[in-house]
Amino acid sequence: MDGNFRKYFGRLTGGMAAMAALALIAVAAPASADTGDEIPVGTRLAARTHPAVQLTSITYSGEVVVPSNDVKQAAWDQLTNEATQAVLAGKIPSDERSIAKFFFQRVAADVDRYLQPVGPERTVKAQVGGMCTGWWVTPDGYMVTGAHCVQMSDEELSQTFAQQALAKFNKQDAKNMINALRNFEADKEMVELVQQIYVTFNSTHLEIRGLQKSLSVLQSLPGGGVDKTAKEVPAELVSVGESYPGKDFALLKVNGQQNLPTVPLGDDTDVQTGDTLYISGFPGLVTNTPWFSIESKLDPALTEGPYNAKRSTQEGVPYIQTQAPSYHGNSGGPVFSRAGKVIGMLIAGTVSENGEASENESFVLPVSIIKEKLNEKNVKPSASLTTTKYNEALDDFFQRHYKDALPKFREVQALFPSHPYVAKYITDSQQAISSGKDETPQPMWLWIAIGAGVLIVVGGGLLLLVLMGRRKKAPSSPQGQSPSPAYGGPYPGSNGGGYPAQVGGGYDRQPVNGQVLPQGWQPQSLPPANGHQPGRTAGGYEAPRPRDYDDPQRPGGGYDPQRPDGATQYVRPAPSPYGQQQPQAAPGQGPADSNAPDVADLEREIAELRRQLQHRPPDA
């Protein structure tokens, strides 16, 4: 191969490689779709964790018994004298309202000094309770919540029944006392003051008979939230600790469950002072507000705030102080790190002087205590397949890969038909696909296939350009010779000699030993052409023998190609290692068929190129 051709061929092959690389780059899979604004941490956490956060309910029922009441006459007469002296001394105005207010304030300050229980007893069947937050830790129904969410002290029970079950008695008793003051018109302030007297008296002398307690979980409806049709599933109390400031932990078990959504547990060391904490649960401040629908106000809420400090109670129980807001009803709810793992449970919050919740501080039981209590009952937290698939679908959804997310959401729905949110995500994904918002990338194998196809097209086009260029630069055939018609023709040797042509090569006539044989004629025995031995060219050069047999004169030679009658047996020659050259026309014969198709010239050029590449000097 000459130097110019080597340079040309090198540039050509380099160009092909570069174009192939460009082709692959052009069809490579695109980078991840631009998701626009980054999805906030709280949004992802709420989507992932809310399915596992449930509303818990504790219910006490029984018969409430309170006695009737009457004044203690001696104490009442003494109070009347004190009021008279106060008016005479000018300490209180002399009008009826001022004197009545003086009486009621003194009684409310010491109810049992002025009132006493009497018969008959009054009874009412009542049912009271409260709501908290709980969360699934296993797919088969183990739930964590706070100890104070599953039990009440006697004092708390009395107060709760007095507030919720005795309202009717309290109002009636207050009305009777005001009526005893003849011709007295009591305003709102006076009515509330008298009612408070009987709230105190009745709750103090209240007795509960036939008390029963039940625990349940209100499973969220499809689409989220809870309403009056929500199914209350009974829960068994497996373990309970001491209410705050103790280890305020309780473990519930709901039987007959499978594939429940769960949340993962982290470690105490996952967070430190300054980190943002996220509280999930059902804030009573909202659930007790009358203006919102039940469905919406019983949907979990997410609040966030900084980790302020680590505290410890006098009993040595650790608690985390945070400014993440919490309210009555949030108790028992999980508290998450930015990574989405539970690092504790909301237990308590600070309250104002009037007993209302304050947003200033909340207190979280660390996850290490939760793990300790779970280990005592040999409960191993685990992720459900529902949660795994749901989180994968959410990742696709937030990247706008709706076509990838849709089948995963449907799988979640099949695993857990009661999932509260998956139905909405399915609808949202379908609508996004229909509106052309899907940005799901094509699978990698498709990009590879397209790249391979482009590479083949580019390579084929470049090869065709090379061959056409070589064809244009090739010299014209010498006079008296014609280009070889096609593959399968005679391989010319030096000095115009050549190998015998293949018989049945597909053309009408083929030269054999310098003679043209009719189509289909098979030679049997022919004399040597021009007095030469078979296989020797007109110029005296003996062409290489075909590879179909070995030369008997060479080591390991094969059979003798001469037939017994001395005629040469014609066989199909093997392709020459020197490639294909232009054949010499047989003596007395005209030039070969000049009407051969142009593709023959192209094929001849390929054969010549092959020959030159195979027989270039080693140092070329």
Coordinates of all heavy atoms in Angstrom, one line a residue, residues 310-385:
K310 N -32.0 18.7 73.7 CA -32.3 17.5 74.3 C -32.5 17.7 75.8 O -31.6 18.2 76.5 CB -31.2 16.4 74.0 CG -31.6 15.0 74.5 CD -30.5 14.0 74.0 CE -30.9 12.6 74.4 NZ -29.9 11.6 74.0
R311 N -33.6 17.2 76.3 CA -34.0 17.4 77.7 C -34.1 16.0 78.4 O -34.0 15.0 77.8 CB -35.3 18.1 77.9 CG -35.3 19.5 77.2 CD -34.4 20.5 77.7 NE -34.5 21.8 77.1 CZ -33.7 22.8 77.3 NH1 -32.6 22.6 78.1 NH2 -33.9 23.9 76.7
S312 N -34.2 16.1 79.7 CA -34.4 14.8 80.5 C -35.3 15.1 81.7 O -35.1 16.2 82.4 CB -33.1 14.3 81.0 OG -33.2 13.1 81.8
T313 N -36.3 14.3 81.9 CA -37.2 14.5 83.1 C -36.6 14.1 84.4 O -35.5 13.6 84.4 CB -38.5 13.7 82.9 OG1 -38.2 12.3 83.0 CG2 -39.1 13.9 81.5
Q314 N -37.2 14.4 85.5 CA -36.7 14.1 86.8 C -36.6 12.6 87.0 O -35.7 12.1 87.8 CB -37.6 14.7 87.9 CG -37.5 16.2 87.9 CD -38.4 16.8 89.0 OE1 -39.1 16.1 89.7 NE2 -38.4 18.1 89.2
E315 N -37.4 11.8 86.2 CA -37.3 10.4 86.3 C -36.2 9.8 85.4 O -36.0 8.6 85.3 CB -38.6 9.8 85.9 CG -39.7 10.0 86.9 CD -40.4 11.4 86.8 OE1 -40.0 12.1 85.8 OE2 -41.1 11.7 87.7
G316 N -35.5 10.7 84.7 CA -34.4 10.3 83.8 C -34.8 9.9 82.4 O -34.0 9.3 81.6
V317 N -36.0 10.2 82.0 CA -36.5 9.9 80.6 C -36.1 11.0 79.7 O -36.4 12.2 79.9 CB -38.0 9.7 80.6 CG1 -38.5 9.4 79.2 CG2 -38.4 8.7 81.6
P318 N -35.4 10.7 78.6 CA -35.0 11.7 77.6 C -36.2 12.2 76.7 O -37.0 11.4 76.4 CB -33.9 11.0 76.8 CG -34.3 9.5 76.8 CD -34.9 9.3 78.2
Y319 N -36.1 13.5 76.4 CA -37.1 14.0 75.5 C -36.4 15.1 74.6 O -35.4 15.7 75.0 CB -38.3 14.7 76.3 CG -39.4 13.7 76.6 CD1 -39.4 13.1 77.8 CD2 -40.4 13.5 75.8 CE1 -40.4 12.2 78.2 CE2 -41.5 12.6 76.1 CZ -41.4 11.9 77.3 OH -42.4 11.1 77.6
I320 N -36.9 15.2 73.4 CA -36.4 16.2 72.5 C -37.3 17.4 72.5 O -38.6 17.3 72.4 CB -36.3 15.7 71.1 CG1 -35.3 14.5 71.0 CG2 -35.9 16.8 70.1 CD1 -35.3 13.8 69.7
Q321 N -36.7 18.6 72.7 CA -37.5 19.9 72.6 C -37.4 20.4 71.2 O -36.4 20.6 70.6 CB -37.0 20.9 73.6 CG -37.6 22.2 73.6 CD -36.9 23.2 74.5 OE1 -36.2 22.9 75.4 NE2 -37.0 24.5 74.1
T322 N -38.6 20.7 70.6 CA -38.6 21.3 69.3 C -39.7 22.4 69.2 O -40.6 22.4 70.0 CB -38.9 20.2 68.2 OG1 -39.1 20.8 66.9 CG2 -40.3 19.5 68.6
Q323 N -39.5 23.3 68.2 CA -40.4 24.3 68.0 C -41.4 24.0 66.9 O -42.2 24.8 66.4 CB -39.7 25.6 67.6 CG -39.1 26.3 68.9 CD -38.5 27.6 68.5 OE1 -37.4 27.6 67.9 NE2 -39.0 28.7 68.9
A324 N -41.4 22.7 66.4 CA -42.4 22.3 65.5 C -43.8 22.3 66.2 O -44.0 21.7 67.3 CB -42.1 20.9 65.0
P325 N -44.8 23.0 65.6 CA -46.1 23.2 66.3 C -46.8 21.9 66.5 O -46.7 21.0 65.7 CB -46.9 24.1 65.4 CG -45.8 24.8 64.6 CD -44.7 23.8 64.4
S326 N -47.5 21.7 67.6 CA -48.3 20.5 67.9 C -49.5 20.9 68.7 O -49.5 22.0 69.4 CB -47.5 19.5 68.6 OG -47.1 19.9 69.9
Y327 N -50.5 20.1 68.7 CA -51.8 20.4 69.4 C -52.4 19.1 70.0 O -51.9 18.0 69.7 CB -52.8 21.0 68.4 CG -52.2 22.2 67.6 CD1 -51.6 21.9 66.3 CD2 -52.2 23.5 68.0 CE1 -51.0 22.9 65.6 CE2 -51.7 24.5 67.2 CZ -51.1 24.2 66.0 OH -50.5 25.2 65.3
H328 N -53.4 19.3 70.8 CA -54.1 18.1 71.2 C -54.6 17.3 70.0 O -55.2 17.9 69.1 CB -55.4 18.5 72.1 CG -55.0 19.2 73.4 ND1 -54.3 18.6 74.4 CD2 -55.2 20.5 73.8 CE1 -54.1 19.5 75.4 NE2 -54.7 20.6 75.0
G329 N -54.4 16.0 70.1 CA -54.7 15.2 68.9 C -53.5 14.8 68.1 O -53.4 13.7 67.5
N330 N -52.4 15.6 68.2 CA -51.1 15.3 67.6 C -50.4 14.2 68.4 O -49.5 13.5 68.0 CB -50.2 16.5 67.5 CG -50.4 17.2 66.2 OD1 -50.5 18.5 66.2 ND2 -50.4 16.6 65.1
S331 N -50.8 14.1 69.7 CA -50.1 13.1 70.6 C -50.1 11.7 70.0 O -51.1 11.2 69.4 CB -50.9 13.0 71.9 OG -50.8 14.3 72.6
G332 N -48.9 11.1 70.1 CA -48.7 9.8 69.5 C -48.2 9.8 68.1 O -47.9 8.8 67.5
G333 N -48.2 11.0 67.4 CA -47.8 11.1 66.0 C -46.3 10.9 65.8 O -45.5 11.3 66.7
P334 N -45.9 10.4 64.7 CA -44.4 10.2 64.4 C -43.8 11.6 64.1 O -44.4 12.5 63.5 CB -44.4 9.3 63.2 CG -45.7 9.6 62.5 CD -46.7 9.9 63.6
V335 N -42.5 11.6 64.4 CA -41.7 12.8 64.1 C -40.5 12.4 63.2 O -39.8 11.4 63.6 CB -41.2 13.5 65.4 CG1 -40.3 14.7 65.1 CG2 -42.3 13.8 66.3
F336 N -40.4 13.1 62.1 CA -39.4 12.6 61.1 C -38.2 13.5 60.9 O -38.3 14.7 61.2 CB -40.1 12.5 59.7 CG -41.3 11.6 59.7 CD1 -42.6 12.0 59.9 CD2 -41.0 10.2 59.4 CE1 -43.6 11.1 59.8 CE2 -42.1 9.3 59.4 CZ -43.4 9.7 59.6
S337 N -37.1 12.9 60.5 CA -36.0 13.7 60.0 C -36.2 14.1 58.6 O -37.2 13.6 57.9 CB -34.7 12.9 60.2 OG -34.7 11.8 59.3
R338 N -35.3 14.8 58.0 CA -35.4 15.2 56.6 C -35.3 13.9 55.7 O -35.8 13.9 54.6 CB -34.2 16.2 56.2 CG -34.4 17.6 56.7 CD -33.2 18.4 56.4 NE -33.1 18.5 54.9 CZ -33.7 19.5 54.2 NH1 -34.5 20.4 54.7 NH2 -33.5 19.5 52.9
A339 N -34.6 12.9 56.2 CA -34.5 11.7 55.4 C -35.7 10.8 55.4 O -35.8 9.8 54.7 CB -33.3 10.9 55.9
G340 N -36.7 11.2 56.1 CA -38.0 10.5 56.1 C -38.1 9.4 57.1 O -39.0 8.5 57.0
K341 N -37.2 9.3 58.1 CA -37.2 8.2 59.1 C -37.7 8.8 60.4 O -37.4 9.9 60.8 CB -35.8 7.6 59.2 CG -35.4 6.8 58.0 CD -34.1 6.1 58.2 CE -33.7 5.3 57.0 NZ -32.4 4.5 57.3
V342 N -38.4 7.9 61.1 CA -38.9 8.3 62.4 C -37.8 8.5 63.4 O -37.0 7.6 63.6 CB -39.9 7.3 63.0 CG1 -40.4 7.7 64.4 CG2 -41.1 7.2 62.0
I343 N -37.7 9.6 64.1 CA -36.7 9.9 65.1 C -37.3 10.1 66.5 O -36.6 10.3 67.4 CB -35.8 11.1 64.7 CG1 -36.6 12.3 64.5 CG2 -34.9 10.7 63.5 CD1 -36.9 13.1 65.7
G344 N -38.6 10.0 66.5 CA -39.3 10.1 67.8 C -40.8 10.2 67.7 O -41.4 10.0 66.6
M345 N -41.5 10.4 68.8 CA -43.0 10.5 68.8 C -43.4 11.7 69.6 O -42.9 11.9 70.7 CB -43.6 9.2 69.4 CG -45.1 9.2 69.5 SD -45.7 7.5 70.0 CE -44.7 7.1 71.4
L346 N -44.3 12.5 69.1 CA -44.8 13.6 69.7 C -45.7 13.2 71.0 O -46.6 12.4 70.8 CB -45.7 14.5 68.8 CG -46.2 15.9 69.2 CD1 -47.4 15.8 70.1 CD2 -45.0 16.7 69.8
I347 N -45.3 13.8 72.1 CA -46.0 13.4 73.3 C -46.7 14.6 74.0 O -47.9 14.5 74.4 CB -45.0 12.8 74.3 CG1 -44.5 11.5 73.8 CG2 -45.7 12.5 75.7 CD1 -45.5 10.4 73.5
A348 N -46.1 15.7 74.1 CA -46.6 16.8 74.9 C -46.2 18.1 74.3 O -45.3 18.2 73.5 CB -46.2 16.7 76.3
G349 N -46.9 19.2 74.7 CA -46.6 20.5 74.3 C -46.9 21.4 75.5 O -47.6 21.1 76.4
T350 N -46.3 22.6 75.4 CA -46.5 23.6 76.5 C -47.9 24.2 76.3 O -48.5 24.2 75.2 CB -45.5 24.7 76.4 OG1 -45.5 25.3 75.1 CG2 -44.1 24.2 76.7
V351 N -48.5 24.6 77.4 CA -49.8 25.2 77.4 C -49.7 26.6 78.1 O -48.9 26.9 78.9 CB -50.9 24.3 78.1 CG1 -51.0 23.0 77.4 CG2 -50.4 24.1 79.6
S352 N -50.7 27.4 77.7 CA -50.7 28.8 78.3 C -51.4 28.7 79.6 O -51.8 27.6 80.1 CB -51.5 29.7 77.4 OG -52.9 29.2 77.2
E353 N -51.5 29.8 80.3 CA -52.0 29.9 81.7 C -53.5 29.5 81.7 O -54.0 28.9 82.7 CB -51.9 31.3 82.3 CG -50.4 31.6 82.5 CD -50.3 33.0 83.1 OE1 -51.4 33.7 83.3 OE2 -49.2 33.4 83.5
N354 N -54.2 29.7 80.6 CA -55.6 29.3 80.5 C -55.8 27.9 80.0 O -57.0 27.5 79.7 CB -56.4 30.3 79.7 CG -55.9 30.4 78.3 OD1 -55.0 29.6 77.9 ND2 -56.5 31.3 77.5
G355 N -54.7 27.1 79.9 CA -54.8 25.7 79.5 C -54.8 25.5 78.0 O -55.0 24.3 77.6
E356 N -54.7 26.5 77.2 CA -54.7 26.3 75.7 C -53.3 26.0 75.2 O -52.3 26.4 75.8 CB -55.2 27.6 75.0 CG -56.7 27.9 75.3 CD -57.1 29.2 74.6 OE1 -56.2 29.8 74.0 OE2 -58.3 29.6 74.7
A357 N -53.3 25.2 74.1 CA -52.0 24.8 73.6 C -51.2 26.0 73.1 O -51.8 26.9 72.6 CB -52.2 23.8 72.4
S358 N -49.9 25.8 73.2 CA -49.0 26.9 72.8 C -48.1 26.3 71.7 O -47.7 25.1 71.8 CB -48.2 27.4 73.9 OG -47.2 28.3 73.5
E359 N -47.8 27.1 70.7 CA -46.9 26.7 69.6 C -45.4 26.8 70.0 O -44.6 26.4 69.2 CB -47.2 27.5 68.3 CG -48.6 27.3 67.8 CD -48.8 28.0 66.5 OE1 -47.8 28.4 65.9 OE2 -49.9 28.1 66.0
N360 N -45.1 27.3 71.1 CA -43.8 27.6 71.4 C -42.9 26.4 71.5 O -41.8 26.3 70.9 CB -43.7 28.4 72.7 CG -44.3 29.8 72.6 OD1 -44.3 30.3 71.5 ND2 -44.7 30.3 73.8
E361 N -43.3 25.3 72.2 CA -42.5 24.2 72.4 C -43.3 22.9 72.3 O -44.5 22.8 72.8 CB -41.8 24.2 73.8 CG -40.9 25.5 74.0 CD -39.7 25.6 73.0 OE1 -39.4 24.6 72.4 OE2 -39.2 26.7 73.0
S362 N -42.7 21.8 71.8 CA -43.3 20.5 71.8 C -42.2 19.5 72.3 O -41.0 19.8 72.2 CB -43.7 20.1 70.4 OG -44.7 21.0 69.9
F363 N -42.6 18.4 72.8 CA -41.7 17.5 73.4 C -41.9 16.1 72.8 O -43.0 15.6 72.7 CB -41.9 17.4 74.9 CG -41.6 18.7 75.6 CD1 -42.6 19.6 75.9 CD2 -40.3 19.1 75.8 CE1 -42.4 20.8 76.5 CE2 -40.0 20.4 76.4 CZ -41.0 21.2 76.7
V364 N -40.8 15.5 72.4 CA -40.7 14.3 71.5 C -40.0 13.2 72.3 O -38.9 13.4 72.7 CB -40.0 14.6 70.2 CG1 -40.0 13.3 69.3 CG2 -40.8 15.7 69.4
L365 N -40.6 12.0 72.4 CA -40.0 10.8 72.9 C -39.0 10.3 71.9 O -39.5 9.9 70.8 CB -41.0 9.8 73.3 CG -40.5 8.5 74.1 CD1 -40.1 8.9 75.5 CD2 -41.6 7.5 74.1
P366 N -37.8 10.1 72.2 CA -36.8 9.6 71.2 C -37.1 8.2 70.7 O -37.7 7.4 71.4 CB -35.4 9.7 71.9 CG -35.7 10.6 73.1 CD -37.1 10.5 73.5
V367 N -36.6 8.0 69.4 CA -36.9 6.7 68.8 C -36.2 5.5 69.5 O -36.6 4.4 69.5 CB -36.5 6.7 67.3 CG1 -35.0 6.8 67.2 CG2 -37.1 5.5 66.6
S368 N -35.1 5.8 70.3 CA -34.4 4.8 71.0 C -35.4 4.1 72.0 O -35.3 2.9 72.3 CB -33.2 5.3 71.7 OG -33.5 6.4 72.5
I369 N -36.2 4.9 72.7 CA -37.2 4.4 73.7 C -38.2 3.6 72.9 O -38.7 2.5 73.4 CB -37.9 5.5 74.4 CG1 -36.8 6.4 75.1 CG2 -38.9 5.0 75.5 CD1 -36.0 5.7 76.1
I370 N -38.7 4.0 71.8 CA -39.6 3.2 71.0 C -39.1 1.9 70.6 O -39.7 0.8 70.7 CB -40.0 4.0 69.7 CG1 -40.7 5.3 70.1 CG2 -40.9 3.2 68.8 CD1 -41.0 6.3 69.0
K371 N -37.8 1.8 70.1 CA -37.2 0.6 69.8 C -37.1 -0.3 71.0 O -37.3 -1.6 70.9 CB -35.8 0.8 69.2 CG -35.8 1.4 67.8 CD -34.4 1.6 67.2 CE -34.4 2.1 65.8 NZ -33.1 2.3 65.3
E372 N -36.7 0.3 72.1 CA -36.6 -0.5 73.4 C -37.9 -1.2 73.7 O -37.9 -2.4 74.0 CB -36.2 0.4 74.5 CG -36.2 -0.2 75.9 CD -36.1 0.9 77.0 OE1 -35.3 1.8 76.8 OE2 -36.9 0.9 78.0
K373 N -39.0 -0.5 73.6 CA -40.3 -1.1 73.9 C -40.8 -2.1 72.9 O -41.4 -3.1 73.2 CB -41.4 0.1 74.0 CG -41.1 1.0 75.2 CD -41.3 0.3 76.5 CE -41.2 1.2 77.7 NZ -41.3 0.5 79.0
L374 N -40.4 -1.9 71.6 CA -40.8 -2.9 70.6 C -40.0 -4.1 70.8 O -40.5 -5.3 70.6 CB -40.5 -2.3 69.2 CG -41.4 -1.2 68.7 CD1 -40.9 -0.6 67.4 CD2 -42.9 -1.6 68.6
N375 N -38.7 -4.0 71.2 CA -37.9 -5.2 71.4 C -38.4 -6.0 72.6 O -38.3 -7.3 72.6 CB -36.4 -4.8 71.7 CG -35.7 -4.3 70.4 OD1 -36.1 -4.7 69.3 ND2 -34.7 -3.5 70.6
E376 N -39.0 -5.3 73.6 CA -39.6 -6.1 74.7 C -40.7 -7.0 74.3 O -40.9 -8.1 74.9 CB -40.1 -5.1 75.8 CG -39.0 -4.3 76.5 CD -39.5 -3.3 77.5 OE1 -40.8 -3.2 77.6 OE2 -38.7 -2.6 78.2
K377 N -41.4 -6.7 73.3 CA -42.5 -7.5 72.7 C -42.1 -8.2 71.5 O -43.0 -8.8 70.8 CB -43.7 -6.6 72.5 CG -44.3 -6.0 73.7 CD -44.8 -7.1 74.7 CE -45.3 -6.5 76.0 NZ -45.8 -7.5 76.9
N378 N -40.8 -8.2 71.2 CA -40.3 -8.9 70.0 C -41.0 -8.5 68.7 O -41.3 -9.4 67.8 CB -40.4 -10.5 70.2 CG -39.5 -11.2 69.3 OD1 -38.4 -10.8 68.9 ND2 -39.9 -12.4 68.9
V379 N -41.3 -7.3 68.6 CA -41.9 -6.7 67.4 C -40.8 -6.1 66.5 O -40.1 -5.2 67.0 CB -43.0 -5.7 67.7 CG1 -43.5 -5.1 66.4 CG2 -44.1 -6.4 68.4
K380 N -40.6 -6.6 65.3 CA -39.6 -6.1 64.4 C -40.2 -5.2 63.3 O -41.0 -5.6 62.5 CB -38.9 -7.3 63.7 CG -38.3 -8.3 64.6 CD -37.3 -7.7 65.5 CE -36.7 -8.7 66.5 NZ -35.7 -8.2 67.4
P381 N -39.9 -3.9 63.4 CA -40.5 -3.0 62.3 C -40.0 -3.4 61.0 O -38.8 -3.8 60.8 CB -39.9 -1.6 62.7 CG -39.5 -1.7 64.2 CD -39.1 -3.2 64.4
S382 N -40.8 -3.3 60.0 CA -40.5 -3.7 58.6 C -41.3 -2.9 57.6 O -42.4 -2.5 57.9 CB -40.7 -5.2 58.4 OG -42.1 -5.6 58.6
A383 N -40.7 -2.8 56.4 CA -41.4 -2.1 55.3 C -42.3 -3.0 54.6 O -41.9 -4.2 54.3 CB -40.4 -1.4 54.4
S384 N -43.5 -2.6 54.2 CA -44.4 -3.5 53.4 C -44.1 -3.3 52.0 O -43.5 -2.3 51.5 CB -45.8 -3.1 53.7 OG -46.1 -1.8 53.3
L385 N -44.5 -4.3 51.2 CA -44.3 -4.2 49.7 C -45.2 -3.0 49.2 O -44.8 -2.3 48.2 CB -44.8 -5.5 49.0 CG -44.6 -5.6 47.5 CD1 -43.2 -5.3 47.1 CD2 -45.1 -6.9 47.0

